[in-house]
């Protein structure tokens, strides 16, 4: 008998996190790149809207 339950992903014995919130990269007038929530107002100062400069965020390429 088949059940109509939604199957949750199983990843080892750790904690499963939902996907990250939508983000967007903006570049200011000085060429500094910021990582921000998707719904910020790009006409206002980015740093005041809790955006991070990309030198503060570590990116991996999976190599």
């Amino acid at each position: 008998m088949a059940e109509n339950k939604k199957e949750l992903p199983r990843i080892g014995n750790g904690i499963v996190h939902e996907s990250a919130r939508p983000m967007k990269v903006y570049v200011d007038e000085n060429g500094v790149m910021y990582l921000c929530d998707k719904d910020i107002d790009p006409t206002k100062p980015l740093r005041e809207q809790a955006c991070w400069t990309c030198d503060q965020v570590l990116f991996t390429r999976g190599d």
Side-chain angles (χ1 to χ4, degrees):
M1 177 185 233
E3 293 185 34
N4 292 329
K5 290 184 180 179
K6 178 182 174 187
E7 288 193 33
L8 297 175
R10 298 179 135 219
I11 303 175
N13 294 321
I15 298 170
V16 176
H17 294 279
E18 296 295 324
S19 61
R21 63 185 188 252
M23 305 293 280
K24 195 166 185 179
V25 175
Y26 291 94
V27 180
D28 72 6
E29 63 277 354
N30 298 316
V32 177
M33 294 174 62
Y34 287 85
L35 182 62
C36 306
D37 285 321
K38 183 181 173 188
D39 59 352
I40 62 111
D41 182 351
T43 64
K44 296 180 181 176
L46 299 173
R47 193 174 292 273
E48 292 176 9
Q49 299 181 75
C51 296
W52 302 278
T53 56
C54 288
D55 64 343
Q56 296 174 323
V57 181
L58 297 176
F59 293 98
T60 61
R61 294 176 48 184
D63 294 83

